[in-house]
Amino acid sequence: MAKKRKSNRPNRPGPKPAATTPTPAVIPVVPEPMMATQGPVREPVFWFGFEVTWTKLVVARFAIFALLAIDAFLAIRHAPRYGAGDFNVGQLGFLGDLGPGRIGYGVGQLALTYLFAMIACGVATRVLVPLGAAIYAWLYFGSQLDSYQHHYLVALILVIASLVPWQRPAGSDPAAPVRTWAVRLLLVQLAIVYLWAAISKLDGAWLDGSTLAKQMTGKVGALITSTIGMKVAALLVIGVELALAATVWSRRTWRIALPLGLVFHASIAATGLEIGLFAFLMLGFYVLVVPDRIWVALLRGIHAPLDRLAAPSWIAWGIGFVAAIGIARFVRVEHAFVVAIAASAVPLVVAIHALVRGRGPAAFVGLAHVLAIALWLLLDRTSDVAVDYYRFWGGSQRRLGNPEVAERAYRRLVAIAPDEEVGHYQLGRILLQQNRGDEGLAELHAAQHLEPMRARAYIAEARYLQQQGKTAEAIEKAKQATYAEPANPDARTLLDSLSAPGGARPPADDSE
Amino acid sequence: MKQALSPIASIVTLARTWQGVVILVIVATQLLLPLHYYTVRRDPHDERFAWRMFSPMRMTRCTSQFTVNDAPVPLGGAFHEAWIEIASRGRFMVIEEMAAKLCNDRPGSSVRVKLTCTYVDGDQREYGGYDMCKVPRL
């Protein structure tokens, strides 16, 4: 029996609707060979007859890739662990030698942030999505350092996303359906994840609620305990995962999957578990589960301005090109400027491609380029990524016995964040260990100024003075340490040992 | 009315196009790969590629004692703390590579690793305890 169809949809099989308005301003990007919008539906219809509207694809593209862009930038803080101590283990044994080092990982994540932002804006998706997938796969499969299921899922999703026709041709009907077997595959992939996640919980330690009780702490844990109890909650989780596995891939059951999935993942996000943006990313995928007509109704007015941005404009392109490089100068992450210069190749190639076709580059290409670089700056200045990067780099190199490298990291930390006391404190300690007293004490004094209520910088100075035989000055500094942080046991012990008759041997410097 | 293809006919039809082959490979891999964890994977703590989110095994905590010629090794001076954290989850592959590096850095030495894991139900198990330069797998 033939299915009832929405009135705004063409009958299938048959050609999809052509653009409803003339399209002189075609977006100068790589064409979409995966966009099967013509001809009868091939078998099996389950895959090759799957359709979503352009509007939904555009919203999903923006939601998913914007989240991935943010996630990629936040991952930069992990770069110092890559290659540290010349040790690495790949996801598969033979991949260990191919894994990224600190610079490779940092540059790779910065490049991914840029690429995902450009994809979110709809620039050259046929090329940039596979490129992003390849870089992500290298970073993920090259090392087990960040090997959560989240990273594995993103790697797979990016491979599938490489086959999705993400770009709506300018002027085409936003409500027109586009056939895309890859989106069906993406939903089936999610269903498989839910299925196995449920199977993994068919274990006594999950079913009795004890595992969940250890994972759910804080307010959410207390709320569950005081209402339905952990055992019931644990069973509910399995039930929800199985229900989502059965419903998320089929249009007919989206009305079940949508509320269930949104509540489920929003609840996980609310728990505050340290899973990065995983819960939000899963919420992003539910854009695909929201009925198409809702997106079309909500965003009816947005396509006309988007189409105007698709008009060729060398001026907009040029302004974006130059402004992006200017913005990149203010990004504090290592190698950001170099990566920005390299990233300029994207709008450049798009412009050359357009030129070869006898057009100019679309205005939105320049705009997307500058937005992508501006996203770096925004995330840099609103997060601790750059500070953490240098702090973690310095800390790991210090512990691994490379004080010269640690000094370089802490000097950079002090340069980009002069108000961060940890940079001054650690740099001071390293300099004192190298007998560079004046420089080291200056850094410790800066730390004391920035954190007057903490004893550690005073203790470090007192120990150094003691080693120099300046006992009276050391006692004075130890006293200041106890004033700064009266409850600090190290400060009290140091003062006692220095004040003891006959002096004292310098205690071990184990402060962090 | 067009008849829907049978599952076998669908698979055969899919295999005739590159798009269909992509679908078959991804779906089959994703359905079958997690089985590896439940059947032949030697390390129960290694849940990669099995979609075992928030599983009880994830709550396992292990302590690993590395010795070189019976002297304890301060791991923090040899490996980044992120690797030590992964080792504390009991992942054999990483612990074996850590031991291999110590063997490599100190030729002729005896590197012993004793891994003690406590599971979410309170059970404890020990692994290793022998010279991993001679027997490199846990």
Side-chain angles (χ1 to χ4, degrees):
Chain A
M1 196 177 83
K3 288 180 186 172
K4 275 176 79 172
R5 305 193 61 80
K6 298 277 182 289
S7 59
N8 64 345
R9 286 191 172 191
N11 290 326
R12 111 187 123 169
K16 296 290 171 223
T20 53
T21 54
T23 58
V26 177
I27 302 171
V29 290
V30 181
E32 299 282 0
M34 238 62 67
M35 192 173 66
T37 54
Q38 290 91 29
V41 180
R42 278 187 291 148
E43 290 286 359
V45 174
F46 175 81
W47 296 104
F48 297 124
F50 186 75
E51 296 174 341
V52 291
T53 58
W54 280 120
T55 302
K56 178 187 274 190
L57 267 189
V58 169
V59 176
R61 184 192 75 208
F62 185 80
I64 293 168
F65 284 97
L67 280 165
L68 287 175
I70 296 169
D71 198 35
F73 191 88
L74 297 180
I76 291 171
R77 58 161 61 97
H78 287 179
R81 58 174 70 170
Y82 286 80
D86 293 323
F87 181 74
N88 184 43
V89 186
Q91 296 287 359
L92 303 171
F94 65 94
L95 292 173
D97 293 336
L98 303 175
R102 176 182 59 82
I103 294 173
Y105 188 84
V107 166
Q109 292 291 4
L110 202 56
L112 283 178
T113 309
Y114 173 81
L115 292 177
F116 292 152
M118 292 293 271
I119 295 164
C121 294
V123 177
T125 57
R126 284 286 304 129
V127 173
L128 297 191
V129 180
L131 181 61
I135 295 173
Y136 196 97
W138 171 54
L139 300 182
Y140 171 71
F141 286 102
S143 177
Q144 293 192 26
L145 275 169
D146 287 292
S147 54
Y148 292 105
Q149 312 281 351
H150 161 205
H151 301 98
Y152 178 41
L153 180 62
V154 172
L156 288 171
I157 291 294
L158 286 173
V159 170
I160 298 171
S162 300
L163 304 166
V164 174
W166 293 109
Q167 275 176 259
R168 182 180 73 88
S172 60
D173 182 358
V178 55
R179 280 184 209 142
T180 164
W181 56 271
V183 170
R184 172 77 91 178
L185 183 56
L186 204 150
L187 293 169
V188 168
Q189 169 69 65
L190 291 184
I192 294 172
V193 171
Y194 286 125
L195 176 66
W196 280 116
I199 290 172
S200 75
K201 296 181 178 72
L202 300 178
D203 178 301
W206 179 272
L207 296 170
D208 66 9
S210 58
T211 301
L212 193 62
K214 290 193 175 171
Q215 291 169 341
M216 295 289 139
T217 52
K219 288 179 183 172
V220 176
L223 182 68
I224 294 173
T225 306
S226 63
T227 52
I228 56 176
M230 286 295 173
K231 189 173 178 180
V232 174
L235 295 173
L236 267 178
V237 168
I238 295 175
V240 168
E241 286 178 338
L242 287 175
L244 290 173
T247 57
V248 77
W249 52 271
S250 171
R251 185 185 298 275
R252 280 178 296 181
T253 49
W254 280 350
R255 66 184 60 190
I256 300 168
L258 181 61
L260 212 53
L262 289 180
V263 170
F264 183 58
H265 291 292
S267 305
I268 293 174
T271 59
L273 289 170
E274 290 184 12
I275 52 172
L277 295 182
F278 183 41
F280 294 101
L281 188 64
M282 292 303 288
L283 286 170
F285 290 130
Y286 277 80
V287 167
L288 293 167
V289 181
V290 174
D292 292 61
R293 63 181 180 283
I294 293 179
W295 291 126
V296 172
L298 283 175
L299 301 168
R300 190 169 292 281
I302 202 172
H303 295 283
L306 287 181
D307 286 347
R308 279 198 290 279
L309 284 173
S313 170
W314 279 105
I315 294 173
W317 181 89
I319 290 172
F321 194 87
V322 174
I325 291 174
I327 291 170
R329 294 294 299 178
F330 298 97
V331 180
R332 301 174 302 173
V333 173
E334 199 177 27
H335 305 303
F337 189 67
V338 177
V339 178
I341 298 287
S344 301
V346 173
L348 208 58
V349 170
V350 170
I352 292 168
H353 187 264
L355 214 54
V356 168
R357 294 180 154 211
R359 310 184 192 103
F364 84 89
V365 173
L367 183 65
H369 180 59
V370 79
L371 283 176
I373 302 294
L375 182 66
W376 289 359
L377 186 63
L378 178 73
L379 293 172
D380 173 23
R381 300 298 170 145
T382 56
S383 73
D384 294 329
V385 167
V387 169
D388 284 349
Y389 175 89
Y390 291 110
R391 190 162 60 91
F392 295 161
W393 183 23
S396 62
Q397 292 302 316
R398 182 171 53 83
R399 284 185 284 275
L400 291 168
N402 300 316
E404 294 84 8
V405 182
E407 181 189 338
R408 191 147 55 94
Y410 286 130
R411 282 203 183 280
R412 187 75 189 116
L413 173 56
V414 166
I416 67 159
D419 292 339
E420 285 287 333
E421 64 280 0
V422 67
H424 295 285
Y425 169 67
Q426 295 293 3
L427 180 58
R429 287 180 66 205
I430 285 176
L431 293 170
L432 291 183
Q433 282 163 10
Q434 296 169 11
N435 290 321
R436 292 153 71 183
D438 291 345
E439 285 179 89
L441 289 177
E443 295 299 335
L444 287 185
H445 293 162
Q448 290 160 9
H449 176 71
L450 290 167
E451 50 176 14
M453 307 302 282
R454 287 196 70 176
R456 61 181 182 173
Y458 294 102
I459 293 173
E461 185 174 357
R463 284 177 175 151
Y464 174 75
L465 293 170
Q466 184 188 11
Q467 286 165 0
Q468 300 299 308
K470 300 175 180 176
T471 307
E473 291 166 83
I475 289 173
E476 184 55 35
K477 276 293 164 189
K479 279 182 184 170
Q480 289 180 22
T482 59
Y483 300 153
E485 196 175 346
N488 188 304
D490 289 340
R492 175 57 56 190
T493 306
L494 179 61
L495 180 59
D496 290 346
S497 68
L498 285 167
S499 307
R505 286 198 328 213
D509 183 2
D510 56 354
S511 60
E512 285 298 311
Chain B
M1 190 179 77
K2 201 168 178 179
Q3 284 284 348
L5 290 176
S6 70
I8 291 178
S10 289
I11 292 171
V12 171
T13 311
L14 276 174
R16 289 191 188 128
T17 61
W18 72 264
Q19 294 98 330
V21 171
V22 169
I23 292 168
L24 285 175
V25 167
I26 290 180
V27 172
T29 307
Q30 288 304 304
L31 283 173
L32 298 177
L33 190 59
L35 279 177
H36 181 263
Y37 176 84
Y38 298 94
T39 52
V40 293
R41 195 170 294 182
R42 68 190 173 94
D43 177 7
H45 315 119
D46 184 357
E47 300 180 293
R48 291 173 304 141
F49 315 125
W51 302 122
R52 290 176 54 83
M53 276 82 95
F54 305 112
S55 75
M57 190 57 76
R58 181 71 182 77
M59 304 304 291
T60 302
R61 299 313 293 176
C62 304
T63 53
S64 50
Q65 292 173 300
F66 284 69
T67 59
V68 174
N69 297 332
D70 296 328
V73 179
L75 290 180
F79 302 99
H80 191 280
E81 58 261 43
W83 291 115
I84 299 168
E85 168 64 23
I86 296 174
S88 77
R89 289 188 226 138
R91 195 174 297 173
F92 288 178
M93 193 175 170
V94 169
I95 294 167
E96 288 162 358
E97 288 294 327
M98 290 166 83
K101 184 173 190 297
L102 293 175
C103 292
N104 215 33
D105 291 350
R106 299 160 178 80
S109 299
S110 155
V111 175
R112 292 179 188 277
V113 181
K114 194 168 119 185
L115 185 69
T116 308
C117 295
T118 307
Y119 299 95
V120 72
D121 59 6
D123 273 4
Q124 268 203 352
R125 279 194 71 179
E126 285 190 359
Y127 304 88
Y130 40 80
D131 184 358
M132 292 197 68
C133 299
K134 290 181 180 152
V135 184
R137 296 185 103 188
L138 281 170

